[in-house]
Structure formats: C-alpha cells, structure tokens
Amino acid sequence: MSDSEPRGLARGLTNYGDAGFSLYLRRSFAKSMGFSAEMLARPVVGIADSRSGFNNCHRHFPDLVEAVKRGVLSAGGLPLEFPTISLGEVFLSPTSMMFRNLMAMDVEEMIRAQPMDAVVLLGGCDKTVPAQLMGAASADRPAIQLVAGPMMPTSFEGERLGACTDCRRFWALYRAGRIDAAGIERIESNLATTAGTCAVMGTASTMAAIAEALGMSLPGTAAIPAVHADRLRAAEASGRRAVELAARPIRPSQIITEKSIENALRVLLAIGGSTNAIIHLAAIAGRVGAPFSLRRLNELSDSTPVLVDLKPTGQYYMSDLYAAGGLGAVLRELAPLLHLDCLTVAGETLGERLAREQGAWVDRTVVRTLAEPLAKEGGLVALFGSLAPNGAILKRSAADPGLFEREGRAVVFSSLEDLAARVDDPSLDVAPDDFLVLQNAGPRSGYAMPEAGYLPIPQKLARAGVKDMVRISDARMSGTAYGTIVLHVSPEAAVGGPLALVRTGDRIRLSVRERRLDLLVGDDELARRRSAWRPPAMPPARGYAKLYMTHVLQAEEGCDFDFLRRA
Ligand code: FES
C-alpha cells in the first residue's frame, strides 16, 4: 500500500468514468445507512463474516462482529462487515475441501474490490481459516485473523465428551456392537453442545494455532474458548488493532514468509496437529511464493518434540490448553527452534512477544517442556517411495508404533462406493495384518479428496477386537481421527499415480523409520498394468466443479488452483 494510495471510502472507486462523481455517489449511498460525514471520513475496517445457518461452529459470530465493531469505533475507524462464503464442515457435499479455494477467491476478491484499509477475518470451522489466510495473502491488504474459538467439552454420564474424537470413539463402539441404538442417540445429543469449533486438536484448532504462530492473529487468542468472555475481548482488540494497521500498514506478505511458515510447521508438529494443516500451509505458502517441501517437514519433524497433551493424540481438550497457558506456553518452549525475528500483526516480532510473556504461568500436565516432552519427535512424517513418489503423510503420534515397520498384503477398494459396498461384507477376504488400500479419493477423483482416509476396520475384524490396521489412500483424514493411516498419497490414483496400479494380493512395505512406502511389484508387471489403466469415468462437469477439476493441484502443492499461486 503506497502513501499516495486513496484511503477509506475513496479507495478503489466504482468506474463511471468520473472519479469525483463515483466518490460523491458512494458517499451519498453510504449516507443512506445513516452514517455522518465524520464517520465516512474515517479509515474503513472490513469485517469478513463467515456466519451461516449451515455452520454451527460460527453461530456466535453476531456477538463477535459486534465486539470487533466496538474495537474499531473506539479506535477511530469505521467498521463495515460483509458476508463471505461459509464452509460448515459437516454440511457440505462432497466435502468442504472442494470449496476452500472458492471461499479463498471470494475473500480475496471482496477485500480487493471493496474500499477497506484493513480487514478482520472471522473464521473457524476447518477450511474457513485457511481460505481466509489464502485470500488475505493474495489480496495483501492489512488483515487480522480472528478465530471462532473451540467448543467446550460436555460432562456426560461421568466423563467429558467433545467433538470430534469422541464422535469417532463412540461410533467405533457402536459398530463393534458395544453401544446400542439408544445409547448412540444419547451420545449424539451431547458431543457438540456449545458454539465454536471442534473441542480437540482437530483441523480447526490446528489452523487457529497456525494463524497465531504465523503472526496473523493477535497473541494469545488461538485457544480462547468460543463462549469465554476473553473471546469477545480478543474480538474488540482485533478491531482496535485493525485501525492501527490501517494507519501504519503491515501487509500479510510481510508476515507470511518462508521463516514464519517454518515456525507454523514447528507448532503443527509440537501440538500433534492435523494432517490437513500440511495441505493448507502448502497452499498458504504458495500464495506468497514461499518454498514448501515435505522433505523439509521431515527434517523439522525429527527435531521438534510433541509438547501438547490434547486429543486426538492425548487426553485434554482445547479449553484445557487455554487454561494451561494457551499457545504462548507452547511458543515459549519452542523458542530455541523458532525464527524469532518474524513480524506479527501486533507490530512486534515473535521474539519480542515471547520476551514480554516470560514467566507466565503454565500447567505442565497439558503443555510439557522441551526437556520432558510427550514425544521426542514431531507428530507427522512424510513418506516417499515407489507407491508415493511425491509423498504421503502419516500422523505417527495418532498411530500404533507396532504397525510402523512391516510388510502387508493389499486389500484394495477401487472407490468410495466399492469401499461402502464391501468393507462390512462378512465374506470379505481380509485379515488384521493386511493393508487396506483405497483408490480414487484424491483431489481430482471427483470426490475432491474427502476425509475418507480413516477407512473403517471391516466389521468382522472390529467385532473380533481389531482396533487398528494400516490404511493407505490418496484421501485426507479428519484432524480428530487416529490410527495407522497413510494419507495424501501423491500422485493420486485418478491421475494415474502408482496407487492406481495396486491390486489385491500385492505386497506393500511401510517403514516409518526409513520414511518409505513401497509397492513390491516388479517393473514389468507395473508397466503392463499401466498400459491397461484408464482414468475413472466422471460425469461432465460445469461451473465451479469444472474450474476445480481443471485447475486443482496435488496435495503437496496444497490442492490450490494453479492460477492462484504466486508465480
Ligand atoms: Fe466445525 Fe469441527 S465441524 S470445526
């Protein structure tokens, strides 16, 4: 933003061929909303509101918007909220992932097209925060991310329940016949009982932590529960700070850099965060032209301990992390591993922030020290090999180490329909040591990479007490899920990656120690299968689906659209 650029309502005038007329017309229409000339002369702070009746996680946004407005007004700005697409995780078909880029485009274009000097981004549910960060990075106007905050867990029949690790735990018990229909119905009413995002370290909480680690949210705000009064105070503070940013701009491109992306990856590893965040960070990095590599992820993973004891890998909930000291406690522990010179949206460097917070109280049952971590290595690793030449991801902190070094027989499902039709068939030829393989669930599969990588344990094995198996796919997995699950295999099956060539009975070797995933089939046989391979049949696409299918990139490039990355 240059000093000569018009500010406030004078910014980016509608083109009628007469700039004076355009501004006069804009002011007169703005006055129809009852604003005085004094108010209209103020710096404008946009509030990107992703509330929707189809998004339970954002149901408290009207209160947050009011608090942001209060902050903007008290600092001398003019707050103007505007709606954007909202992505309620469980309300979208085929999957919210398909629409993340659409929301990112909406956010980017509305920030750029409307006259605002800074923007506060209100998001929370899984894909909304990455979409807002991607859009804001590309628009490159001063922006502050304000997240929804997590739900509170619910006390229920002697234990605490929280979406959505417990959703899966109880569903697995129901599938195994250990809870009856009435029981699962009672659980259903008690898993998600407040406003806010999933209560564990799922994708939403991970992306909230990443937004703060990148420096795009105000310090200390990532973990505040949605219903806590501090969340409203964070909203007010974000509005106030946005007015300061309008006067002295710090742009997203100054905050989101190669170094801050590395900081975010360190935090992702230390919190045992969601596998989805790797895709989102790759996409965010691509928007600012910062390098991003899964091999670098492995280097960082080898030197970043897991410090936070939260579900799905640990015991506690996000509200416990807030009470234990919040993300600041994690960042202070990680400080020797972080780039402390990274600038934050608060106007200070990360190092200055952490120095200011030295000595703050920390509950060590929830946030461990570097010297006594929960695990010495990070929660996520990338695997490479003949089955995944461009990489695959395993959340080792949520997996069974007893399954890490082994060879198994592939039991292949060629599509999601095939999986649904056969996985619970009592005659399915499957044993606990087999590797379940799902094909054609990647970005270009027509399903838009759903969170289907958490393949159910075949019912006959589940009933026999089998809790985990090696599962391999080009799909994603919910951040709240757990198991020995290899995801994001790239290139995906639908574009002819080696995953498409696997047949039931093939041997596959997994070695987490060596970071390898190999298909043990001879080259001649693979060449024969490749020449017979045809892409899956898909219905003709139109509109956004066509744009998506034409331009979506593979997982290691963040599943962004090729034309949205910075060249
Ligand atoms: Fe919105 Fe989990 S459903 S964060």
Side-chain angles (χ1 to χ4, degrees), residues 371-444:
E372 290 179 80
L374 279 163
K376 286 198 161 50
E377 296 176 321
L380 302 165
V381 285
L383 307 171
F384 299 89
S386 60
L387 189 49
N390 296 344
I393 297 295
L394 173 77
K395 187 172 183 177
R396 61 180 161 186
S397 58
D400 176 0
L403 300 177
F404 283 2
E405 309 297 325
R406 62 167 53 201
E407 193 184 304
R409 183 188 73 126
V411 174
V412 178
F413 300 93
S414 61
S415 67
L416 288 161
E417 284 83 9
D418 185 34
L419 175 73
R422 292 195 298 124
V423 72
D424 289 338
D425 185 339
S427 67
L428 180 70
D429 176 17
V430 64
D433 288 344
D434 289 339
F435 289 7
L436 303 181
V437 175
L438 172 65
Q439 299 167 324
N440 296 313
R444 289 203 187 205

Side-chain angles (χ1 to χ4, degrees), residues 476-523:
R476 295 177 301 115
M477 172 174 89
S478 164
T480 61
Y482 47 87
T484 309
I485 297 174
V486 179
L487 304 153
H488 310 180
V489 170
S490 176
E492 63 173 304
V495 299
L499 184 68
L501 308 182
V502 186
R503 300 288 176 267
T504 292
D506 289 349
R507 307 293 295 176
I508 294 174
R509 197 169 75 85
L510 168 68
S511 173
V512 177
R513 190 173 50 232
E514 294 171 23
R515 314 283 192 264
R516 297 284 308 179
L517 184 67
D518 290 294
L519 177 60
L520 308 179
V521 174
D523 290 345

Side-chain angles (χ1 to χ4, degrees), residues 501 520-532:
L501 308 182
L520 308 179
V521 174
D523 290 345
D524 289 351
E525 173 60 16
L526 283 181
R528 193 186 62 72
R529 291 181 192 176
R530 181 167 299 289
S531 62

